[in-house]
Amino acid sequence: MRDNVTEESNMQSEHTGNVEHPQEQAGGMTKAEISRRWLLMKIGIAFNGIVGLALAVPIVGYIVSPMKKDAKYKSWVSLGGIEKYPVGTTRLATYVNPWQSPTDGQTDDIACWVRRTGQQQFTVFAINCAHLGCPVRWFPQSKLFMCPCHGGVYYADGSVAAGPPERGLFKYKHQIVNGELKIFAGQMPTLSNTAKLVTTIGPCKGDSPCAG
Amino acid sequence: MRGLKEAKKVYDWLEMRVGFEKPVKEAALHPVPKNTASWWYVFGSAAFTLLMLQVFTGILLALVYVPSAGQAWQSLNFLNHNLTMGWFIRAVHGWGSNFMVAIVLIHMAQVFLFGAYKYPRELTWMVGVLLLLLTLGMAFTGQVMRFDQDAYWGLGIGAMITSRLPFIGGQLVHLLLGGPIIGGATLSHFFALHVFVIPAALLGLAGLHVWMVLRLGINEWPMPGRAVKRETYVEEYHKLTHEDGVPFVPVALWKDIVFSSGIILAVLVCAAIFGPQGPTGVPNPTYIHTDPKPDFFFLWIYTSLAFLPPWMETPLLIIGPPIVILGLLGFPLLASEGEKSWYRRPVAVLVVMILAVAWGALTDLGTYTPWSPHMDAWSADIIAPKQVKALSPLERQGAIVFQDKQCRNCHQVDGHGGMRGPALDDVATTMTYDQLIRQVLQGGGNMPAYGKNLSPAEVDALVDYLETLHKAGQKPAVDEANQWTDQAAKAAPAPPVPLVGTAGNAMTEQQLQAQTQMSVPMQAPQKAQVATAAKAKAQHPAAMKMAPGA
């Protein structure tokens, strides 16, 4: 045991450059004492490591806390009675985002496009262009959605008509409860959470699968 | 005299404790190669001066600015309109940012062309690349601080780009936005980045950058033929500075000082003349009548995203930036020796020129976004009365359809309207009647198909109107076969059907008449066929059926 300690302290003195200070050795310090110093240093480092970990775990937890599963952010939101949306029209609807914080201000007011094609037939499109998220506008005269940013154009059913989007407009899940139109919303629709990229960009006319 | 003595005493007291004199003197008087005391070597110090200006004005703005999504916009307007010189401080910070990005880029180009990244200054360059990225990071997060509609939708674009990353994209968006959607947490996240994280990194790395410049010495003026060799460079440089050198202060520094103050003056002048930027509209996402655009230095990315083929976008957005950044960081290691002079590095000069021209062209396009539909052209840009004066009622009806169906949003006529599609001033000479009908109904070539959105009567009117769009004296393009059948239907006796015409060119009336006279009289059933074909062209029921989804 004693031998082991000596050997270890020898190694340490080599590693840490103690040999450069012969006066310390000459001052009567035994190898055992040096070893004790380094043991304390090691204990110090280990202690720091533990405290650091105790600090890091809550910090990391705090920073990554917004990274939740999509469903956790979403809930059913009412867009009002279905009578607000006459059959055969596409209208802008707004709702207050169900996920809020006290400093959101007006950013909680979210818009979407509601298209009603029959008594019970609705499609609710996100306002965000499927290319880079700018707000698309509906033109009832030409029955097209147009995006002001990069010229993405969509047909009335949300499928791509022209421009750079790789898929049709994002659609919200919706249901009609007691004459009210409800959508499943709460999160900004992006390519990663709503319907992924559509790989086949073929002819996107009508309600083809590539409309997303 | 007595005062001077007292001051010296205070100085000595301080100097004894801090001991700055020796290192500062060394740094100031260190010899630099004679010809580096040049106006080409002033950009680095100007960038650093601008950084100081930004820190200072940023602190001043933080005295008033509220990083809350509900109040940021109001606090900026308060700064602009209610506080003494608030607008000016905002303007100086904004213009300081523009100047800083510009000067950093110029500095980088100069350093690259002067081969200053070569041994032993590779790491100085790498730190510089990080400084460039941080500067751009400051510019982007600063744009978010101006929490208006542009900032809101710009964040949306950032989120959409991030979301394209495979597997982690969605979660990264949450992390970036501080939640599922742009809101209060998003602005405070970006505020922390803009005010604490990035500036700390920027100041630390800028300090390291300057430290290394002092330690390794300023890059000597490149001479053709004087190649860098690892073994001999340090010795050569030492000789150069000590045998033919001048002290940094004052020989080189005076130019730095003059240029830096000139740049600050330019910032002040711009700020005073042009004022602060924005904030534009209220950051309310339900106000969708907005035309979001990034700040000047990101316009080239905005343009690239409009022109890239869709399939290329995601791979480029994901793979492109890491490759560019790693390339910039790594290339001094691959080219650490050899010629520094631009006379011997034509590829380097070419690269800088191509990048500059490409950047300029993309930025220029970004200023007027020809790819975006003009959302209000259909209602704002009217067709001049003189243009429709001589038109038939049907053609005028077509002009109304053209206007009402937003054709104008993408097509210019008479210099007004969108530029997404081609200008239609002489479309009648480039497309025949049938081609126009097909294009309107089926779209294609990046045009939506209007088959479902227009009635046959509207298509008739629209195409009749389009047929009038040609220069005076030019005739509308005519499909050769149609020309023959049209004439045949009118003329009796008619030419035999089918006819063989000269390829490409429509026949003149004289040629046609000549041919008609030579031909044998047509039989009655044949005549009827020709007439039906002509009628079909006008009503285009077949074309309607061809339209997708009609």
Side-chain angles (χ1 to χ4, degrees), chain A residues 63 66-68 70 73 94 97 99 103-104 106-107 109 113 129-133 137 139 141-142 144 146-151 155 162-163 166 186-188 190-192, chain B residues 69-70 153 157 160 163-164 170-171 174-175 180-181 183-184 282 284-286 288 290 302 305-306 310 313 371-373 375 378 404-406 420 446 448-450 453:
Chain A
I63 291 176
M67 295 165 78
K68 290 183 175 47
D70 293 350
Y73 283 124
T94 60
N97 200 53
W99 183 271
T103 56
D104 286 345
Q106 290 174 305
T107 56
D109 299 332
W113 290 109
C129 180
H131 179 226
L132 288 170
R137 276 185 239 172
F139 289 91
Q141 298 84 0
S142 52
L144 293 173
M146 292 190 195
C147 176
C149 284
H150 296 100
Y155 292 114
E166 289 179 83
Q187 141 168 315
M188 182 184 164
T190 60
L191 290 171
S192 65
Chain B
W153 297 107
I157 292 179
M160 284 290 271
S163 78
R164 292 176 180 229
Q171 294 303 323
H174 292 165
L175 193 65
I181 206 150
V282 198
N284 183 331
T286 62
I288 58 160
T290 175
Y302 189 74
L305 290 172
E313 256 178 39
W371 55 83
S372 294
M375 296 300 221
W378 68 288
D404 186 53
K405 297 294 178 182
Q406 282 91 26
R420 171 92 220 180
N446 220 357
Y450 283 80
N453 307 344

Coordinates of all heavy atoms in Angstrom, one line a residue, chain A residues 63 66-68 70 73 94 97 99 103-104 106-107 109 113 129-133 137 139 141-142 144 146-151 155 162-163 166 186-188 190-192, chain B residues 69-70 153 157 160 163-164 170-171 174-175 180-181 183-184 282 284-286 288 290 302 305-306 310 313 371-373 375 378 404-406 420 446 448-450 453:
Chain A
I63 N -33.8 25.5 -20.1 CA -33.6 25.9 -21.5 C -34.5 25.1 -22.5 O -35.1 25.6 -23.4 CB -32.1 25.9 -21.9 CG1 -31.4 27.0 -21.1 CG2 -32.0 26.1 -23.4 CD1 -29.9 27.0 -21.3
P66 N -39.2 24.5 -23.6 CA -40.2 24.7 -24.7 C -40.3 23.5 -25.6 O -41.3 23.4 -26.4 CB -39.7 25.9 -25.5 CG -38.7 26.6 -24.6 CD -38.1 25.5 -23.7
M67 N -39.3 22.6 -25.6 CA -39.3 21.5 -26.5 C -40.3 20.4 -26.1 O -39.9 19.4 -25.5 CB -37.9 20.9 -26.7 CG -37.0 21.9 -27.3 SD -35.2 21.5 -27.1 CE -35.0 20.3 -28.4
K68 N -41.6 20.6 -26.4 CA -42.6 19.6 -26.0 C -43.1 18.9 -27.2 O -42.9 19.4 -28.3 CB -43.8 20.4 -25.3 CG -43.5 21.0 -23.9 CD -44.8 21.6 -23.4 CE -44.7 22.1 -22.0 NZ -43.6 22.9 -21.7
D70 N -45.8 18.0 -29.9 CA -46.7 18.9 -30.6 C -48.1 18.9 -29.9 O -48.7 19.9 -29.7 CB -46.9 18.5 -32.1 CG -45.6 18.7 -32.8 OD1 -44.7 19.4 -32.3 OD2 -45.5 18.2 -34.0
Y73 N -49.1 21.1 -27.1 CA -49.4 22.6 -27.3 C -50.8 22.8 -27.9 O -51.2 23.9 -28.0 CB -48.3 23.1 -28.3 CG -47.0 23.4 -27.6 CD1 -45.8 22.8 -28.1 CD2 -46.9 24.3 -26.6 CE1 -44.6 23.1 -27.6 CE2 -45.7 24.5 -26.0 CZ -44.5 24.0 -26.5 OH -43.3 24.3 -25.9
T94 N -60.4 34.5 -37.1 CA -59.3 34.7 -36.2 C -59.7 34.0 -34.9 O -60.8 33.8 -34.5 CB -59.0 36.1 -35.9 OG1 -60.2 36.7 -35.3 CG2 -58.6 36.9 -37.1
N97 N -54.8 32.1 -29.7 CA -54.0 30.9 -29.5 C -54.2 30.3 -28.1 O -54.0 31.0 -27.1 CB -52.6 31.2 -29.8 CG -51.8 29.9 -30.2 OD1 -52.2 29.2 -31.1 ND2 -50.7 29.7 -29.5
W99 N -52.3 28.4 -26.4 CA -51.0 28.4 -25.6 C -50.5 29.9 -25.5 O -50.2 30.5 -26.5 CB -50.0 27.6 -26.3 CG -48.7 27.5 -25.5 CD1 -47.7 28.4 -25.6 CD2 -48.4 26.6 -24.5 NE1 -46.7 28.0 -24.7 CE2 -47.1 26.9 -24.0 CE3 -49.1 25.5 -24.0 CZ2 -46.5 26.2 -23.0 CZ3 -48.4 24.8 -23.0 CH2 -47.2 25.1 -22.5
T103 N -46.8 37.9 -21.7 CA -46.2 39.0 -22.4 C -46.5 38.9 -23.9 O -45.8 39.6 -24.7 CB -44.7 39.1 -22.2 OG1 -44.1 37.9 -22.5 CG2 -44.4 39.5 -20.8
D104 N -47.4 38.1 -24.3 CA -47.6 37.8 -25.8 C -48.2 39.0 -26.5 O -48.0 39.1 -27.7 CB -48.5 36.6 -26.0 CG -47.8 35.3 -25.7 OD1 -46.6 35.4 -25.6 OD2 -48.5 34.3 -25.5
Q106 N -50.4 41.1 -28.8 CA -51.3 40.8 -29.9 C -50.9 39.5 -30.6 O -51.6 39.1 -31.5 CB -51.4 42.0 -30.8 CG -52.1 43.1 -30.3 CD -52.1 44.3 -31.2 OE1 -51.0 44.7 -31.6 NE2 -53.2 44.9 -31.6
T107 N -49.7 39.0 -30.3 CA -49.2 37.9 -31.1 C -50.0 36.6 -30.8 O -49.9 35.6 -31.5 CB -47.7 37.6 -30.8 OG1 -47.6 37.4 -29.4 CG2 -46.8 38.7 -31.2
D109 N -53.2 36.5 -31.3 CA -54.3 36.5 -32.2 C -53.8 35.9 -33.5 O -52.9 36.4 -34.2 CB -54.8 38.0 -32.5 CG -55.3 38.6 -31.2 OD1 -55.8 37.9 -30.3 OD2 -55.2 39.9 -31.1
W113 N -57.8 30.6 -42.7 CA -58.8 30.7 -43.8 C -59.8 29.5 -43.6 O -59.4 28.4 -43.6 CB -58.2 30.7 -45.1 CG -57.4 31.9 -45.5 CD1 -56.0 32.0 -45.5 CD2 -57.9 33.2 -45.8 NE1 -55.6 33.2 -45.8 CE2 -56.8 34.0 -46.0 CE3 -59.1 33.7 -45.9 CZ2 -56.9 35.4 -46.3 CZ3 -59.3 35.1 -46.2 CH2 -58.2 35.9 -46.4
C129 N -48.0 30.4 -45.5 CA -47.6 29.8 -46.7 C -46.7 28.5 -46.4 O -45.9 28.6 -45.5 CB -46.8 30.8 -47.5 SG -46.2 30.1 -49.1
A130 N -46.9 27.5 -47.2 CA -46.1 26.2 -46.9 C -44.7 26.4 -47.3 O -43.9 25.5 -47.1 CB -46.8 25.1 -47.6
H131 N -44.3 27.5 -48.0 CA -42.9 27.7 -48.4 C -42.1 28.2 -47.2 O -41.3 27.5 -46.6 CB -42.9 28.7 -49.6 CG -41.5 29.0 -50.0 ND1 -41.1 30.2 -50.3 CD2 -40.4 28.2 -50.3 CE1 -39.8 30.2 -50.7 NE2 -39.4 28.9 -50.7
L132 N -42.4 29.4 -46.8 CA -41.6 30.0 -45.6 C -42.5 30.7 -44.6 O -42.0 31.5 -43.8 CB -40.5 30.9 -46.2 CG -39.4 30.2 -46.8 CD1 -38.5 31.2 -47.5 CD2 -38.6 29.3 -45.9
G133 N -43.8 30.4 -44.6 CA -44.6 30.9 -43.5 C -45.2 32.3 -43.6 O -45.8 32.7 -42.6
R137 N -53.0 35.4 -48.9 CA -54.2 36.2 -49.0 C -55.1 35.5 -50.0 O -54.7 34.9 -51.0 CB -53.9 37.6 -49.5 CG -53.5 38.5 -48.4 CD -53.4 39.9 -48.9 NE -52.0 40.4 -48.6 CZ -51.6 41.5 -49.1 NH1 -52.3 42.2 -49.9 NH2 -50.3 41.9 -48.8
F139 N -58.0 35.5 -52.8 CA -58.7 36.4 -53.8 C -59.9 35.7 -54.3 O -59.8 34.8 -55.1 CB -57.7 36.7 -54.9 CG -56.6 37.7 -54.5 CD1 -55.4 37.2 -54.0 CD2 -56.7 39.0 -54.6 CE1 -54.4 38.0 -53.6 CE2 -55.7 39.9 -54.2 CZ -54.5 39.4 -53.7
Q141 N -62.1 36.6 -56.4 CA -62.4 36.8 -57.8 C -61.7 35.7 -58.6 O -62.3 35.0 -59.5 CB -62.0 38.1 -58.3 CG -62.6 39.3 -57.6 CD -62.0 39.7 -56.3 OE1 -61.0 39.1 -55.9 NE2 -62.5 40.7 -55.6
S142 N -60.5 35.5 -58.4 CA -59.8 34.5 -59.2 C -59.7 33.1 -58.4 O -59.1 32.2 -58.9 CB -58.3 35.0 -59.5 OG -57.7 35.4 -58.3
L144 N -57.9 32.2 -55.8 CA -56.6 31.8 -55.5 C -56.1 32.4 -54.2 O -56.5 33.4 -53.8 CB -55.6 32.3 -56.6 CG -55.8 31.8 -58.0 CD1 -54.9 32.6 -59.0 CD2 -55.4 30.3 -58.1
M146 N -52.7 33.9 -52.6 CA -51.4 34.3 -53.1 C -50.5 34.7 -51.9 O -51.0 35.3 -50.9 CB -51.5 35.5 -54.0 CG -52.1 35.2 -55.3 SD -52.0 36.6 -56.4 CE -53.2 36.2 -57.7
C147 N -49.2 34.4 -52.0 CA -48.3 34.8 -50.9 C -47.5 36.0 -51.3 O -47.0 36.0 -52.4 CB -47.4 33.6 -50.6 SG -46.2 34.0 -49.3
P148 N -47.3 37.0 -50.5 CA -46.6 38.2 -50.8 C -45.1 38.0 -50.9 O -44.4 38.8 -51.4 CB -47.0 39.2 -49.8 CG -47.3 38.4 -48.6 CD -47.8 37.1 -49.1
C149 N -44.5 36.9 -50.2 CA -43.1 36.8 -50.1 C -42.4 36.3 -51.3 O -41.6 37.0 -51.9 CB -42.8 35.9 -48.9 SG -43.0 36.8 -47.3
H150 N -42.6 35.1 -51.7 CA -41.9 34.5 -52.8 C -42.8 34.0 -54.0 O -42.4 33.2 -54.8 CB -41.0 33.3 -52.3 CG -39.9 33.8 -51.4 ND1 -40.1 33.6 -50.1 CD2 -38.8 34.4 -51.6 CE1 -39.0 34.1 -49.5 NE2 -38.2 34.6 -50.4
G151 N -44.1 34.5 -53.9 CA -44.9 34.2 -55.0 C -45.6 32.9 -55.0 O -45.9 32.3 -56.1
Y155 N -54.6 27.0 -55.2 CA -56.0 26.9 -55.6 C -56.9 27.0 -54.4 O -56.4 26.9 -53.2 CB -56.2 25.7 -56.4 CG -55.6 25.7 -57.7 CD1 -54.6 24.7 -58.0 CD2 -55.9 26.6 -58.7 CE1 -53.9 24.7 -59.2 CE2 -55.3 26.6 -60.0 CZ -54.3 25.7 -60.2 OH -53.6 25.7 -61.4
A162 N -48.8 27.6 -58.2 CA -47.6 28.1 -58.8 C -46.6 28.5 -57.7 O -47.0 28.6 -56.5 CB -47.9 29.3 -59.7
G163 N -45.4 28.8 -58.1 CA -44.4 29.3 -57.1 C -43.6 28.2 -56.4 O -43.7 27.0 -56.8
E166 N -43.6 23.5 -51.8 CA -43.4 22.1 -52.2 C -44.7 21.3 -51.9 O -44.7 20.1 -52.1 CB -42.2 21.4 -51.5 CG -40.9 21.9 -52.0 CD -39.8 21.3 -51.2 OE1 -39.4 20.2 -51.6 OE2 -39.3 22.0 -50.3
G186 N -52.8 25.6 -31.9 CA -52.0 26.0 -30.8 C -50.5 26.1 -31.1 O -49.7 26.6 -30.4
Q187 N -50.2 25.7 -32.3 CA -48.7 25.8 -32.7 C -48.6 26.2 -34.1 O -49.4 26.0 -35.0 CB -48.2 24.3 -32.5 CG -47.2 23.8 -33.5 CD -46.6 22.6 -33.0 OE1 -46.2 22.5 -31.9 NE2 -46.5 21.6 -33.8
M188 N -47.5 27.0 -34.3 CA -47.2 27.5 -35.7 C -47.0 26.3 -36.6 O -46.2 25.4 -36.4 CB -46.0 28.3 -35.7 CG -45.7 28.9 -37.0 SD -44.1 29.8 -37.0 CE -43.9 29.9 -38.8
T190 N -45.5 24.2 -39.3 CA -44.3 24.2 -40.1 C -44.2 22.9 -40.8 O -44.9 22.0 -40.6 CB -43.0 24.4 -39.2 OG1 -43.0 23.3 -38.3 CG2 -43.1 25.7 -38.5
L191 N -43.1 22.8 -41.6 CA -43.0 21.5 -42.4 C -42.7 20.4 -41.5 O -42.8 19.2 -41.9 CB -41.9 21.7 -43.4 CG -42.2 22.7 -44.6 CD1 -41.0 23.0 -45.4 CD2 -43.3 22.1 -45.4
S192 N -42.2 20.6 -40.3 CA -41.8 19.5 -39.5 C -42.9 19.0 -38.6 O -42.9 17.9 -38.2 CB -40.6 19.9 -38.6 OG -41.1 20.9 -37.7
Chain B
A69 N -43.4 41.2 -26.1 CA -44.1 41.2 -27.3 C -45.3 42.1 -27.3 O -45.7 42.6 -28.3 CB -44.5 39.8 -27.7
G70 N -45.8 42.4 -26.1 CA -47.0 43.3 -26.0 C -46.6 44.7 -26.0 O -47.4 45.6 -26.2
W153 N -43.0 38.2 -39.2 CA -43.0 37.3 -40.3 C -41.6 36.8 -40.6 O -41.4 35.7 -41.1 CB -43.7 37.8 -41.5 CG -45.2 38.1 -41.2 CD1 -45.7 39.3 -41.0 CD2 -46.2 37.1 -41.0 NE1 -47.1 39.1 -40.7 CE2 -47.4 37.8 -40.7 CE3 -46.2 35.7 -41.0 CZ2 -48.6 37.2 -40.4 CZ3 -47.4 35.1 -40.7 CH2 -48.6 35.8 -40.4
I157 N -40.2 33.0 -41.0 CA -39.4 32.4 -42.1 C -38.2 31.7 -41.4 O -37.9 30.5 -41.8 CB -38.9 33.6 -43.0 CG1 -40.0 34.2 -43.8 CG2 -37.8 33.0 -43.9 CD1 -39.6 35.3 -44.7
M160 N -39.6 28.4 -40.2 CA -39.8 27.5 -41.3 C -38.6 26.9 -41.9 O -38.5 25.7 -42.3 CB -40.6 28.2 -42.5 CG -42.0 28.5 -42.2 SD -43.0 27.0 -42.1 CE -43.5 26.9 -43.9
S163 N -37.4 24.4 -39.4 CA -38.2 23.2 -39.4 C -37.9 22.2 -40.4 O -38.3 21.0 -40.4 CB -39.7 23.6 -39.5 OG -40.0 23.8 -40.9
R164 N -37.1 22.6 -41.4 CA -36.7 21.7 -42.5 C -35.6 20.7 -42.1 O -35.3 19.8 -42.8 CB -36.3 22.5 -43.7 CG -37.5 23.2 -44.3 CD -37.0 24.1 -45.5 NE -38.1 24.8 -46.1 CZ -38.4 24.9 -47.4 NH1 -37.7 24.2 -48.2 NH2 -39.5 25.5 -47.8
G170 N -38.5 20.2 -35.7 CA -39.7 20.6 -35.0 C -39.3 21.1 -33.6 O -39.8 22.2 -33.1
Q171 N -38.5 20.3 -32.9 CA -38.1 20.7 -31.5 C -37.2 21.9 -31.5 O -37.3 22.7 -30.6 CB -37.4 19.5 -30.8 CG -38.3 18.3 -30.6 CD -39.5 18.6 -29.8 OE1 -39.5 19.4 -28.9 NE2 -40.7 18.0 -30.2
H174 N -39.3 24.9 -31.6 CA -39.9 25.2 -30.2 C -38.8 26.0 -29.4 O -39.1 26.9 -28.7 CB -40.3 24.0 -29.5 CG -41.5 23.3 -30.1 ND1 -41.8 22.0 -29.8 CD2 -42.4 23.8 -31.0 CE1 -42.9 21.7 -30.5 NE2 -43.3 22.7 -31.2
L175 N -37.6 25.5 -29.5 CA -36.5 26.1 -28.7 C -36.2 27.5 -29.2 O -36.0 28.4 -28.3 CB -35.2 25.2 -28.9 CG -34.1 25.4 -27.9 CD1 -34.5 25.1 -26.5 CD2 -32.9 24.6 -28.3
P180 N -44.6 27.1 -28.8 CA -45.1 26.6 -30.1 C -45.3 27.6 -31.1 O -45.5 27.2 -32.3 CB -46.4 25.9 -29.6 CG -46.8 26.8 -28.5 CD -45.6 27.3 -27.8
I181 N -45.3 28.9 -30.8 CA -45.7 29.9 -31.7 C -44.9 31.2 -31.4 O -44.4 31.3 -30.2 CB -47.2 30.1 -31.6 CG1 -47.8 30.6 -32.8 CG2 -47.6 30.9 -30.4 CD1 -49.2 30.1 -33.1
G183 N -44.3 34.5 -29.9 CA -45.0 35.2 -28.8 C -44.0 35.9 -27.9 O -42.9 36.2 -28.3
G184 N -44.5 36.1 -26.6 CA -43.7 36.8 -25.7 C -42.3 36.2 -25.5 O -41.3 36.9 -25.4
V282 N -48.0 47.1 -36.7 CA -48.1 46.5 -35.4 C -47.9 45.0 -35.6 O -48.4 44.4 -36.6 CB -49.5 46.7 -34.8 CG1 -49.6 46.4 -33.4 CG2 -50.1 48.0 -35.2
N284 N -49.3 42.3 -35.2 CA -50.5 41.5 -35.0 C -50.7 40.6 -36.1 O -50.9 41.0 -37.3 CB -51.7 42.5 -34.9 CG -53.0 41.8 -34.6 OD1 -53.2 40.6 -34.9 ND2 -53.9 42.5 -33.9
P285 N -50.6 39.3 -35.9 CA -50.6 38.3 -36.9 C -51.9 38.2 -37.7 O -52.0 37.6 -38.8 CB -50.4 37.0 -36.2 CG -50.0 37.3 -34.8 CD -50.5 38.7 -34.5
T286 N -53.0 38.9 -37.2 CA -54.2 38.8 -38.0 C -54.3 39.9 -39.0 O -55.2 40.0 -39.9 CB -55.5 39.0 -37.1 OG1 -55.4 40.2 -36.4 CG2 -55.5 37.9 -36.0
I288 N -53.1 40.6 -42.1 CA -52.4 39.8 -43.1 C -52.0 40.6 -44.3 O -51.3 40.2 -45.2 CB -53.1 38.5 -43.5 CG1 -54.5 38.9 -44.0 CG2 -53.3 37.6 -42.3 CD1 -55.1 37.8 -44.9
T290 N -49.8 42.5 -45.4 CA -48.4 42.9 -45.1 C -47.5 42.3 -46.2 O -47.8 41.4 -46.8 CB -48.0 42.5 -43.7 OG1 -46.7 42.8 -43.5 CG2 -48.2 41.0 -43.5
Y302 N -33.2 36.1 -49.2 CA -34.6 36.2 -49.5 C -34.7 36.0 -51.1 O -35.6 35.2 -51.5 CB -35.0 37.6 -49.2 CG -36.5 37.9 -49.3 CD1 -37.4 37.4 -48.3 CD2 -37.0 38.8 -50.3 CE1 -38.7 37.7 -48.4 CE2 -38.3 39.1 -50.3 CZ -39.2 38.5 -49.4 OH -40.5 38.8 -49.4
L305 N -34.0 32.3 -52.1 CA -35.1 31.4 -51.8 C -36.3 31.5 -52.8 O -37.1 30.6 -52.9 CB -35.6 31.7 -50.3 CG -34.7 31.3 -49.2 CD1 -35.2 31.8 -47.9 CD2 -34.5 29.8 -49.2
A306 N -36.3 32.6 -53.5 CA -37.4 32.8 -54.5 C -36.9 32.1 -55.8 O -37.8 31.6 -56.6 CB -37.7 34.2 -54.8
P310 N -37.6 24.3 -56.2 CA -38.2 23.8 -54.9 C -37.4 22.6 -54.3 O -37.2 22.6 -53.2 CB -39.6 23.5 -55.2 CG -40.0 24.4 -56.4 CD -38.7 24.6 -57.1
E313 N -34.2 23.5 -52.4 CA -34.2 24.4 -51.3 C -33.8 23.7 -49.9 O -32.9 24.2 -49.3 CB -35.6 25.0 -51.1 CG -35.7 26.4 -51.6 CD -37.1 27.0 -51.5 OE1 -37.8 26.7 -50.5 OE2 -37.4 27.7 -52.4
W371 N -40.4 38.5 -58.2 CA -41.1 37.2 -58.1 C -42.4 37.3 -57.3 O -43.2 36.4 -57.3 CB -40.2 36.2 -57.5 CG -39.7 36.7 -56.2 CD1 -40.3 36.6 -55.0 CD2 -38.5 37.4 -55.9 NE1 -39.6 37.2 -54.0 CE2 -38.4 37.7 -54.5 CE3 -37.4 37.8 -56.7 CZ2 -37.4 38.3 -53.9 CZ3 -36.4 38.5 -56.1 CH2 -36.4 38.7 -54.7
S372 N -42.6 38.4 -56.6 CA -43.8 38.5 -55.8 C -45.0 39.1 -56.5 O -44.8 40.1 -57.2 CB -43.5 39.4 -54.5 OG -42.6 38.8 -53.7
P373 N -46.1 38.5 -56.4 CA -47.3 39.2 -57.0 C -47.5 40.5 -56.4 O -47.2 40.7 -55.2 CB -48.5 38.2 -56.7 CG -47.9 37.0 -56.2 CD -46.5 37.3 -55.7
M375 N -49.9 42.5 -54.8 CA -51.2 42.1 -54.2 C -52.3 43.1 -54.6 O -53.4 42.7 -54.6 CB -51.0 41.9 -52.7 CG -50.1 40.8 -52.3 SD -50.6 39.3 -53.0 CE -50.3 38.2 -51.6
W378 N -54.3 44.6 -59.1 CA -55.6 44.4 -59.7 C -56.6 45.5 -59.4 O -57.5 45.8 -60.2 CB -56.2 43.0 -59.3 CG -56.6 43.0 -57.9 CD1 -55.8 42.9 -56.8 CD2 -58.0 43.0 -57.4 NE1 -56.6 42.9 -55.7 CE2 -57.9 42.9 -56.0 CE3 -59.2 43.0 -58.0 CZ2 -59.0 42.8 -55.2 CZ3 -60.3 42.9 -57.2 CH2 -60.2 42.9 -55.8
D404 N -60.1 42.2 -63.0 CA -60.9 41.6 -61.8 C -60.3 40.3 -61.4 O -60.4 40.0 -60.2 CB -62.4 41.5 -62.2 CG -63.2 41.1 -61.1 OD1 -63.1 41.8 -60.0 OD2 -64.0 40.1 -61.2
K405 N -59.8 39.5 -62.3 CA -59.3 38.2 -61.9 C -57.8 38.2 -61.4 O -57.1 37.2 -61.5 CB -59.5 37.2 -63.0 CG -60.9 37.0 -63.4 CD -61.7 36.3 -62.3 CE -63.2 36.1 -62.7 NZ -64.0 35.5 -61.7
Q406 N -57.4 39.4 -61.1 CA -56.0 39.5 -60.6 C -54.9 39.1 -61.5 O -53.8 38.9 -61.1 CB -55.9 38.7 -59.3 CG -56.5 39.4 -58.0 CD -57.9 38.9 -57.8 OE1 -58.3 37.9 -58.2 NE2 -58.7 39.8 -57.2
R420 N -44.2 38.9 -61.7 CA -44.0 37.4 -61.5 C -44.1 36.7 -62.9 O -43.3 35.9 -63.2 CB -45.1 36.9 -60.6 CG -45.2 35.4 -60.5 CD -44.4 34.9 -59.4 NE -43.7 33.7 -59.7 CZ -43.0 33.0 -58.9 NH1 -42.8 33.4 -57.7 NH2 -42.4 31.9 -59.3
N446 N -45.3 28.0 -64.4 CA -45.5 28.8 -63.1 C -46.7 29.7 -63.1 O -46.7 30.7 -62.4 CB -44.2 29.6 -62.9 CG -43.9 29.6 -61.4 OD1 -44.6 29.0 -60.6 ND2 -42.8 30.2 -61.0
P448 N -50.9 29.6 -62.6 CA -52.1 28.8 -62.2 C -53.0 28.5 -63.3 O -53.1 29.3 -64.3 CB -52.8 29.6 -61.1 CG -51.9 30.7 -60.7 CD -51.0 30.9 -61.9
A449 N -53.7 27.4 -63.3 CA -54.7 27.1 -64.3 C -56.0 27.8 -63.9 O -56.5 27.7 -62.7 CB -54.9 25.6 -64.4
Y450 N -56.6 28.5 -64.8 CA -57.8 29.2 -64.5 C -59.1 28.5 -65.0 O -60.2 29.1 -65.0 CB -57.8 30.7 -65.1 CG -56.9 31.6 -64.2 CD1 -55.5 31.6 -64.4 CD2 -57.5 32.4 -63.3 CE1 -54.7 32.4 -63.6 CE2 -56.7 33.2 -62.5 CZ -55.3 33.2 -62.7 OH -54.5 34.0 -61.9
N453 N -61.8 28.6 -62.7 CA -62.1 29.9 -62.1 C -62.7 30.9 -63.0 O -63.1 32.0 -62.6 CB -60.9 30.5 -61.4 CG -60.2 29.5 -60.5 OD1 -60.8 28.5 -60.1 ND2 -59.0 29.8 -60.1

